[in-house]
Amino acid sequence: METWFWILGWFFSILTMTGNGFIILLVCTRRHLRTKTNAFVLSLAGADFLVGMTAVPSLFLLERIGRGYSQGLYTGLKSLKWLFQDASVINMCSLVLDRYIAVVKPLKYLTFMTSRRVIQLISFSWGLCVVFILVLSSLLFSLNPRVVLRTLFWVVFVLFYFLPCLMIIFCFARMLRVIYMQNRAPTFSGKQLRFNKRREKSALIMMMIVVFLFLVLCGINIRCIFAVILNDKCDRGNYRDLILVLNSAVNPLAYAFFKADLKREIKKIFCKVAVERKAVNV
């Protein structure tokens, strides 16, 4: 692979691990940040951190080894990358579902999205991916890899790309419609409404950034899946891996700038560091 790919790939990987690692540390060490929504953010940040740790580094390792690597090593590294990539997709769907219920059905949110339900959704997000990758890996080791991949590509396409894209587009469209209707509705609690609108707008901008990159990634992956099914070669592999890592790198930046509680906590940290540095200089 060309030099530009490795420069961008390692830069995005380091950015992904740093940003998501910071979000994980922040949520885990601040008790008031341990909310239901942040549980989904934490799970997605964990998946994105592992994407940054495996996507480009696994390719680099195979490139450095050359043609001397075994089929077992190749399958193992690919399976890890697929596992964390799929976990990121399903965790994204869980986060979008949480925001969808909070915006579209706010009165039912507290009764539906209990702590137990949050744990169930996060466990399902990871469990589905682990089971699928274990089944896929066992089939790759025991049967012809090309036959297995071409057969299961349809399952991957439907389960991890087509259905998640449909769900995210539907939820996002409904949230936009609800917020638009709320903005047009007359109200008398002006100050509180303006605050709620600003908060909803910030959350919506965050979701727009995250969802846009996710849909771009899905589009490239869907194109590659059909290319493999039709016995063609996917010539977008490099771009796909870069966008995969970039998508995971942008998520924590979106949280930091547009998620109110995380943004407020990050500001406190930077203000504290600035005050301490000023005191040392004095």
Side-chain angles (χ1 to χ4, degrees):
M1 293 186 186
E2 299 179 12
T3 305
W4 66 265
F5 172 83
W6 295 121
I7 294 174
L8 287 178
W10 279 108
F11 174 74
F12 290 156
S13 295
I14 294 170
L15 184 64
T16 298
M17 289 186 284
T18 303
N20 287 287
F22 178 71
I23 295 297
I24 293 170
L25 182 65
L26 196 64
V27 175
C28 289
T29 55
R30 302 294 193 277
R31 184 177 293 274
H32 61 277
L33 292 180
R34 298 174 195 171
T35 61
K36 295 171 186 176
T37 300
N38 283 344
F40 293 108
V41 170
L42 182 65
S43 184
L44 178 59
D48 286 334
F49 178 87
L50 293 170
V51 166
M53 197 168 68
T54 56
V56 172
S58 64
L59 288 176
F60 183 76
L61 178 62
L62 294 175
E63 184 87 4
R64 295 293 294 176
I65 294 175
R67 296 186 178 273
Y69 58 79
S70 64
Q71 182 63 32
L73 177 63
Y74 177 81
T75 303
L77 291 176
K78 283 288 186 181
S79 297
L80 279 177
K81 187 176 83 168
W82 291 335
L83 168 62
F84 301 135
Q85 175 182 342
D86 295 341
S88 180
V89 171
I90 303 301
N91 276 288
M92 170 72 70
C93 292
S94 298
L95 177 60
V96 171
L97 179 63
D98 173 78
R99 291 296 83 208
Y100 169 79
I101 297 173
V103 172
V104 177
K105 300 183 181 296
L107 297 179
K108 292 184 178 180
Y109 180 77
L110 292 177
T111 56
F112 176 82
M113 199 59 71
T114 60
S115 298
R116 183 178 180 182
R117 190 67 53 82
V118 171
I119 294 173
Q120 288 174 345
L121 284 172
I122 292 175
S123 300
F124 173 78
S125 300
W126 285 95
L128 175 66
C129 301
V130 170
V131 170
F132 179 78
I133 293 300
L134 288 177
V135 172
L136 176 62
S137 300
S138 62
L139 291 175
L140 287 174
F141 277 115
S142 57
L143 301 175
N144 188 326
R146 287 189 62 85
V147 175
V148 172
L149 288 175
R150 289 174 67 186
T151 304
L152 290 180
F153 261 132
W154 285 107
V155 180
V156 174
F157 168 70
V158 173
L159 192 61
F160 294 108
Y161 296 104
F162 182 69
L163 290 180
C165 282
L166 280 184
M167 175 202 160
I168 288 175
I169 291 171
F170 170 78
C171 292
F172 200 66
R174 285 294 306 275
M175 285 191 286
L176 282 174
R177 183 176 181 275
V178 168
I179 292 175
Y180 173 74
M181 296 300 291
Q182 288 177 349
N183 287 339
R184 293 189 61 186
T187 182
F188 299 100
S189 54
K191 187 175 181 180
Q192 181 62 37
L193 181 67
R194 285 194 297 271
F195 172 76
N196 290 336
K197 285 181 179 179
R198 286 197 301 269
R199 188 170 60 181
E200 289 172 354
K201 185 178 179 180
S202 296
L204 202 62
I205 293 173
M206 177 195 78
M207 295 302 300
M208 284 177 64
I209 295 171
V210 171
V211 168
F212 173 75
L213 274 177
F214 172 75
L215 292 177
V216 171
L217 172 65
C218 283
I220 294 175
N221 279 334
I222 288 171
R223 188 264 176 201
C224 286
I225 286 171
F226 276 108
V228 173
I229 291 173
L230 298 174
N231 293 322
D232 195 4
K233 185 177 180 182
C234 178
D235 56 356
R236 298 289 185 270
N238 293 355
Y239 300 103
R240 179 185 56 188
D241 289 320
L242 284 180
I243 294 176
L244 168 65
V245 182
L246 177 61
N247 182 58
S248 297
V250 168
N251 288 348
L253 297 178
Y255 309 147
F257 284 103
F258 297 108
K259 197 168 186 309
D261 54 348
L262 293 178
K263 181 179 180 180
R264 188 164 51 248
E265 196 62 35
I266 291 171
K267 279 185 176 180
K268 286 182 183 178
I269 292 173
F270 279 105
C271 288
K272 184 178 179 181
V273 170
V275 169
E276 290 178 351
R277 184 172 295 180
K278 187 176 181 180
V280 169
N281 292 335
V282 172

